[in-house]
Amino acid sequence: LAKTTQPISMDSYEGQEVNITCSHNNIATNDYITWYQQFPSQGPRFIIQGYKTKVTNEVASLFIPADRKSSTLSLPRVSLSDTAVYYCLVGVVYNTDKLIFGTGTRLQVFP
Amino acid sequence: GAGVSQSPSNKVTEKGKDVELRCDPISGHTALYWYRQSLGQGLEFLIYFQGNSAPDKSGLPSDRFSAERTGGSVSTLTIQRTQQEDSAVYLCASSLGGLQMGKNIQYFGAGTRLSVL
């Protein structure tokens, strides 16, 4: 199974850019990289997914180097409402599309 | 409904009792997942259903836990003879199913908070 490693926690201030890096040394050729956000008392919510290079949507950017052994979620100009836990997932693809969650990064944004 | 629905939202039970937790996935989603999340912890995978295939039960912590999915839609997670260590939030998710990018994005319900006294 692909194992992911993320920082346990990060602090930031409103208006700053936040970059959260995830290591996944055992990523397989067919695996995608997906990030989720979880607020207290809620289920995780999809943020962004990528395979290689850079992906950007209205919420975040995802940077994946050529070797795909890590990925970085970039949140531009964070606000207090971005305080949450962020999970990096690497798809484990055998004959299924099961994904395994890691421990997550707790982001705290201060005013 | 537009999203994944779980019921009940909260369940308090006594040690030794059986409980059933329900999940209604998004219509058309063939894949369904159950997870457990203890306070302040990450998500622990329990079981996975994909279409009509046999479920992947590799994450179930003991034989007291079981799940079924009827008609490829609604799923029920059953915990028999509950123990205090079973207290957690049980989350259900569904996805379109398939190996293509985007098809395995999981959409989660709000969870069922189980408290075993």
Side-chain angles (χ1 to χ4, degrees):
Chain A
L1 297 177
K3 176 180 170 59
T4 61
T5 304
Q6 304 175 231
I8 295 175
S9 64
M10 295 181 68
D11 293 335
S12 183
Y13 292 93
E14 283 191 294
Q16 290 189 333
E17 178 183 78
V18 171
N19 296 308
I20 306 174
T21 296
C22 179
S23 297
H24 28 79
N25 292 320
N26 296 327
I27 189 169
T29 302
N30 293 333
D31 288 344
Y32 302 114
I33 300 159
T34 313
W35 286 80
Y36 289 81
Q37 174 191 55
Q38 185 178 28
F39 297 112
S41 302
Q42 295 185 23
R45 182 179 71 171
F46 169 78
I47 301 176
I48 196 165
Q49 184 178 68
Y51 182 78
K52 62 181 179 181
T53 65
K54 177 183 175 182
V55 180
T56 298
N57 62 22
E58 64 277 7
V59 176
S61 295
L62 179 59
F63 298 91
I64 305 169
D67 66 6
R68 304 202 325 123
K69 292 183 183 297
S70 67
S71 59
T72 298
L73 174 71
S74 182
L75 305 172
R77 298 179 298 282
V78 295
S79 64
L80 296 177
S81 62
D82 292 316
T83 294
V85 178
Y86 293 82
Y87 292 96
C88 160
L89 278 78
V90 175
V92 178
V93 179
Y94 302 116
N95 294 314
T96 69
D97 57 353
K98 181 175 67 177
L99 300 177
I100 305 297
F101 281 80
T103 56
T105 297
R106 188 173 302 274
L107 173 65
Q108 179 69 54
V109 180
F110 296 95
Chain B
V4 176
S5 177
Q6 291 188 246
S7 60
S9 55
N10 285 282
K11 177 69 176 179
V12 180
T13 190
E14 295 179 347
K15 178 181 174 181
K17 299 286 189 181
D18 297 352
V19 295
E20 287 189 350
L21 311 179
R22 176 187 169 105
C23 173
D24 283 273
I26 294 173
S27 177
H29 280 194
T30 63
L32 187 147
Y33 313 73
W34 282 99
Y35 295 88
R36 178 170 69 175
Q37 187 170 35
S38 300
L39 187 63
Q41 302 299 309
L43 279 74
E44 175 189 4
F45 167 76
L46 297 178
I47 190 169
Y48 163 77
F49 296 88
Q50 171 56 61
N52 295 321
S53 302
D56 181 338
K57 305 178 182 179
S58 59
L60 294 178
S62 77
D63 59 8
R64 295 187 295 106
F65 288 73
S66 63
E68 63 177 19
R69 188 177 184 192
T70 54
S73 181
V74 172
S75 177
T76 302
L77 177 69
T78 300
I79 308 174
Q80 296 179 312
R81 305 180 303 282
T82 53
Q83 304 294 313
Q84 289 184 331
E85 59 264 27
D86 298 334
S87 296
V89 175
Y90 289 81
L91 290 160
C92 174
S94 69
S95 68
L96 281 169
L99 303 180
Q100 299 90 344
M101 187 163 163
K103 294 259 180 108
N104 56 15
I105 294 172
Q106 296 180 53
Y107 296 86
F108 284 81
T112 294
R113 182 175 300 277
L114 175 65
S115 300
V116 182
L117 306 179

